[in-house]
Amino acid sequence: MNALPPTRRLRVAIIGGGFSGAAVAWHLARASRPERLPISVIEPRPALGGGLAYSSEEPAHRVNVPAVRMSMAPDDPQHFARWLSRDGELERDPDAIWKNGDVYPSRRVFGRYVAEHLAPWLGSGAVHHVGGLATHVARDADGRGWTMHTSDGPVAADIVVLAATHPLPNIPAALASLAEAPGFITDPYAPAALAGIGRQASVLIVGSGLTSADMVAELDRRGHRGRILALSRRGLRSRGHPAIRGEPFGDFASVPATTALRLLKTIRATLAAAHAANVNWQSVFDQLRQQGPVLWAALAPPERARLVRQLRVFWDVHRFRIAPQVAAVLDRRHTAGTFDNIAARLVASNHEDDSLAVSFQRRGQTRIETARFDAVINTTGPAHGQALQLNPALRSLTDAGLIRADAYGLGIETNRDSRAVGRDGRAVTTLFVAGPLARGTFGELMGLPEVARHAQAVAAEIAKLLDTPAEAVGATAEHVRVAG
């Protein structure tokens, strides 16, 4: 047996073990020899892969796209669908199969799928789960390595990947007086968060997106039959899926729009053409989603900011659709008069006589209304703009000048290789950002297919460092002899 020349060994630490972090670990483990890239995933949850999105044990929380469009492997779109058919979950949950044959399993099922595919790498030691919360990240004094301080002890690494979970929603200023009140729910996905809400309780849901719809579906499954009011500034409810899925329609990438207004006009013209061709609007947005990175790259920073500020809410309700099972609950409750969705702004709130009084002003009206509720659920969406301050690990990197917020308030600024950009405007060679926190650079990075592709790309960039001279990497590179 001959000894080979010294081979680079780089330790990788991934902060966050939800889908983004787990997918990076999976792609890295599959693409490289484990002894060359030992991987630690820092995640306080007991299992990797679920994160905030796919850890819920609530059966009414379903994936919001058909199973055939969900996969850890971007080059194998049927990866999850095949696993699902073998797992037997559809026999245990026949309601997952919709009328047109599309499958929308519970989100926890997708989390289990990710965990099971990562399990062999955990078992072999190629991936190590550090079951703690990352509280501080420090760069070594010589700039060639990193130390992650966690509630489970320190973790040393040569390369760090930031794949932190979505931060909790901000509490609207008008609801600040309810922050400590019983019945005010700030974390709607916390275990049994809705368990204390009675069958006839009156409920206010602040927000009308995917999480809001999840809350209505969960309350209904728990037997709730009281009044539910969903309130948001524009009153736009997340749209549903078509009865028959079509192919993506339109072309936005050949001559991409360079202004937000031009993009809006192109979308409207394409929607009109789709209608004339008897094609559903969802197919147009599917094409927008696929060509999103090209569209985002074509916009100058001021136009990107304008797009986020003026059109993001409309994009979100059309792009992030609710499962038809959930849509059916909302429609049924609305018909029964126990669910309504209004456009209004919050004005004030107060905790009085075991009820939560909330004042609001409907859109287009001057009168202030006050209503009393037994419970108020905050679903205003993740506070991405404050992620760098709310997350202690990200805050430590911000304070050290190693990361900074992107210009659009979406997350962390990166270069096109997904490396974090520091306060000085330079990319940090061994500090990567994976998943939604990088969308200020890449545009659409909230949907699972896009996150999976981004995780694969980040893993590929990290793998390249194995063949990069140590002085260029800027990280401690151990050299070991590998027998062959």
Side-chain angles (χ1 to χ4, degrees):
M1 185 178 298
N2 297 322
L4 298 178
T7 302
R8 173 72 58 78
R9 181 176 184 265
L10 296 173
R11 301 159 297 175
V12 180
I14 301 172
I15 299 177
F19 178 74
S20 298
V24 172
W26 187 66
H27 284 292
L28 268 178
R30 295 171 72 221
S32 306
R33 296 176 67 172
E35 64 272 19
R36 298 190 67 190
L37 273 175
I39 304 162
S40 296
V41 183
I42 303 168
E43 169 57 53
R45 291 182 175 87
L48 299 180
L52 180 64
Y54 304 111
S55 291
S56 172
E57 290 298 317
E58 168 56 43
H61 296 168
R62 296 189 176 276
V63 300
N64 62 311
V65 295
V68 292
R69 294 188 175 184
M70 301 185 72
S71 172
M72 289 180 70
D75 303 324
D76 184 4
Q78 299 292 322
H79 195 257
F80 174 52
R82 288 198 307 274
W83 176 89
L84 193 61
S85 64
R86 295 193 302 266
D87 180 67
E89 180 62 32
L90 300 184
E91 287 74 22
R92 295 188 291 272
D93 180 20
D95 289 341
I97 305 174
W98 192 239
K99 299 171 185 177
N100 64 356
D102 284 342
V103 178
Y104 297 85
S106 296
R107 294 187 187 180
R108 61 184 178 184
V109 174
F110 187 81
R112 192 172 78 247
Y113 150 79
V114 178
E116 286 189 11
H117 281 85
L118 205 54
W121 303 105
L122 288 164
S124 70
V127 177
H128 174 57
H129 179 190
V130 180
L133 176 70
T135 56
H136 186 87
V137 182
R139 200 174 193 181
D140 293 351
D142 60 4
R144 296 170 64 84
W146 302 86
T147 300
M148 268 62 51
H149 298 276
T150 82
S151 55
D152 199 44
V155 176
D158 305 301
I159 299 166
V160 176
V161 181
L162 304 177
T165 189
H166 301 295
L168 289 175
N170 281 328
I171 298 177
L175 299 182
S177 61
L178 302 182
E180 303 299 326
F184 184 64
I185 299 170
T186 58
D187 183 359
Y189 287 121
L194 309 189
I197 299 177
R199 286 174 57 88
Q200 297 301 323
S202 59
V203 180
L204 173 66
I205 302 177
V206 182
S208 57
L210 292 177
T211 304
S212 175
D214 275 352
M215 296 304 105
V216 178
E218 179 177 351
L219 284 168
D220 189 77
R221 187 202 65 79
R222 289 177 175 273
H224 178 269
R225 297 298 179 263
R227 177 174 61 98
I228 302 174
L229 177 66
L231 178 154
S232 62
R233 291 296 295 266
R234 296 185 181 273
L236 298 174
R237 192 183 111 180
S238 291
R239 304 300 198 265
H241 291 270
I244 300 175
R245 283 187 290 109
E247 293 299 316
F249 182 89
D251 179 10
F252 303 94
S254 295
V255 185
T258 56
T259 69
L261 180 59
R262 173 54 58 188
L263 177 58
L264 178 60
K265 290 180 177 179
T266 303
I267 293 171
R268 286 174 170 168
T270 306
L271 286 169
H275 180 72
N278 200 29
V279 173
N280 60 63
W281 64 263
Q282 289 94 335
S283 293
V284 175
F285 276 79
D286 288 343
Q287 187 73 299
L288 277 166
R289 175 179 174 176
Q290 290 190 11
Q291 298 178 346
V294 175
L295 295 173
W296 186 255
L299 297 172
E303 292 300 319
R304 293 180 182 180
R306 187 171 293 114
L307 187 72
V308 171
R309 185 174 62 253
Q310 298 179 355
L311 299 179
R312 177 181 169 189
V313 63
F314 299 100
W315 166 253
D316 285 353
V317 298
H318 288 85
R319 156 68 181 83
F320 300 110
R321 301 164 206 158
I322 53 178
Q325 295 91 334
V326 176
V329 173
L330 269 61
D331 292 342
R332 172 168 52 78
R333 295 291 297 252
H334 182 73
T335 300
T338 59
F339 170 70
D340 198 9
N341 186 74
I342 64 170
R345 71 176 185 91
L346 295 166
V347 176
S349 62
N350 194 18
H351 179 213
E352 299 176 350
D353 301 327
D354 296 327
S355 67
L356 308 178
V358 179
S359 299
F360 54 88
Q361 182 182 36
R362 293 180 189 254
R363 191 178 181 90
Q365 298 186 11
T366 57
R367 183 170 64 94
I368 304 296
E369 301 177 48
T370 299
R372 294 182 179 277
F373 302 92
D374 299 305
V376 175
I377 307 172
N378 187 27
T379 69
T380 52
H384 289 295
Q386 297 184 31
L388 277 64
Q389 294 304 316
L390 296 175
N391 183 299
L394 300 185
R395 185 169 61 247
S396 67
L397 289 166
T398 303
D399 292 344
L402 295 169
I403 63 174
R404 67 186 186 186
D406 64 57
Y408 320 106
L410 299 175
I412 301 171
E413 183 177 352
T414 76
N415 68 3
R416 296 298 300 179
D417 294 333
S418 300
R419 288 173 167 87
V421 173
R423 185 187 300 150
D424 60 3
R426 294 189 298 174
V428 182
T429 306
T430 56
L431 183 60
F432 292 84
V433 182
L437 285 175
R439 61 193 176 127
T441 299
F442 298 97
E444 173 56 45
L445 246 184
M446 290 290 284
L448 189 132
E450 291 78 22
V451 173
R453 283 195 292 271
H454 189 236
Q456 186 180 47
V458 170
E461 287 296 328
I462 293 172
K464 288 179 186 177
L465 294 178
L466 288 169
D467 301 315
T468 303
E471 59 272 16
V473 172
T476 301
E478 297 183 53
H479 288 78
V480 297
R481 292 190 178 275
V482 181

